[in-house]
């Protein structure tokens, strides 16, 4: 990364469409919020939490953590934890 990127970081603008068929759990979470700032902020939090989990900062020990069998063996940069977030729902 060059020093220009460090001195003057530019914001990233994302525009995308999310269909329920693509990621039902993510869609169901985001549809709870009216479009706008609250929905964008929720997506930002989910993305950041996913990044922390993938980096091994936290293992996402919330509901359904027993399903994350690969969490204990995940290494930094390993996408197993993040990929499990989009797995089918766990029957309780």
């Amino acid at each position: 990364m060059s020093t220009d990127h460090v001195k003057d970081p530019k914001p990233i603008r994302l525009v995308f469409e999310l269909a329920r068929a693509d990621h039902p759990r993510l869609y169901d979470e985001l549809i709870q919020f009216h479009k706008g700032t609250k929905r964008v902020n929720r997506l930002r939090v989910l993305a950041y939490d996913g990044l922390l989990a993938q980096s091994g900062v936290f293992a996402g020990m919330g509901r359904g953590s027993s399903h994350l069998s690969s969490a204990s063996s995940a290494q930094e940069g390993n996408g197993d934890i993040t990929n499990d977030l989009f797995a089918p729902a766990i029957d309780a």
Side-chain angles (χ1 to χ4, degrees), residues 56-68:
V57 173
F58 73 37
M61 301 311 279
R63 313 182 290 213
S65 61
S66 61
H67 178 67
L68 299 176

Side-chain angles (χ1 to χ4, degrees), residues 65-80:
S65 61
S66 61
H67 178 67
L68 299 176
S69 59
S70 61
S72 60
S73 64
Q75 299 174 356
E76 186 173 340
N78 187 341
D80 291 342

Side-chain angles (χ1 to χ4, degrees), residues 10-75:
K10 304 224 184 301
I12 299 171
R13 179 174 173 86
L14 301 173
V15 178
F16 66 96
E17 226 174 75
L18 176 67
R20 188 172 195 286
D22 296 333
H23 300 289
R25 295 170 83 184
L26 180 59
Y27 179 91
D28 290 344
E29 177 66 27
L30 295 175
I31 200 68
Q32 296 178 47
F33 302 94
H34 296 290
K35 62 181 177 178
T37 306
K38 288 183 180 182
R39 187 181 288 173
V40 170
N41 286 337
R42 182 62 180 149
L43 180 59
R44 184 179 290 130
V45 167
L46 291 171
Y48 190 68
D49 286 352
L51 179 64
L52 292 176
Q54 186 174 6
S55 298
V57 173
F58 73 37
M61 301 311 279
R63 313 182 290 213
S65 61
S66 61
H67 178 67
L68 299 176
S69 59
S70 61
S72 60
S73 64
Q75 299 174 356

Side-chain angles (χ1 to χ4, degrees), residues 25 67 83-89:
R25 295 170 83 184
H67 178 67
N83 292 340
D84 281 347
L85 290 174
F86 301 107

